[in-house]
Amino acid sequence: LGTFNALDSACSAGSASQKEGDHQEELVHVEGTVIMHFTYAIRQDLALGQDFIRLCKTKAAGLTTFEVALLLSVSRLQRFSAKAADILRRGAELQAQHAFKQRSSPWIQGLR
């Protein structure tokens, strides 16, 4: 997961040249292929899915776009749909709470 997160942030931080646009497109295709193989592997080995769910629970507020995409694809499996939806809901709640605290805190406003 760390490799794709680093590649994703590197591609999004770069300029919008044609060559980097090709790299971004290639990254999207590779991520899609990895997601497809990952969900197939989880269908074959449910322990892998349980470990992934456990990993996502520990960092629900800090999920990256790739991890959210993996979680959404895993949520299509009936066994993990409720757990994955709960993790996504909890992550959204934590992000909303964090954003509210940032907006309502006067000393953080002074730092901007």
Side-chain angles (χ1 to χ4, degrees), residues 32-96:
T33 303
V34 169
I35 290 170
M36 180 185 68
H37 287 291
F38 190 75
T39 54
Y40 178 75
I42 287 177
R43 283 187 183 120
Q44 302 302 316
D45 183 14
L46 295 177
L48 180 64
Q50 292 168 347
D51 289 340
F52 178 68
I53 293 290
R54 195 174 309 121
L55 174 72
C56 289
K57 274 185 184 178
T58 60
K59 55 186 271 184
L63 291 174
T64 63
T65 55
F66 181 69
E67 291 164 342
V68 169
L70 275 174
L71 200 54
L72 285 171
S73 68
V74 168
S75 71
R76 294 183 63 204
L77 302 174
Q78 186 176 9
R79 181 179 189 111
F80 301 112
S81 63
K83 292 177 184 177
D86 186 48
I87 292 169
L88 290 170
R89 181 190 51 79
R90 182 69 182 140
E93 286 175 356
L94 290 173
Q95 289 293 337

Side-chain angles (χ1 to χ4, degrees), residues 4 6-31 65:
F4 287 105
L7 287 172
D8 196 24
S9 63
C11 282
S12 63
S15 64
S17 69
Q18 177 66 25
K19 186 176 180 181
E20 290 185 11
D22 292 341
H23 288 301
Q24 180 69 24
E25 185 177 329
E26 184 179 345
L27 178 63
V28 168
H29 287 294
V30 170
E31 285 177 344
T65 55

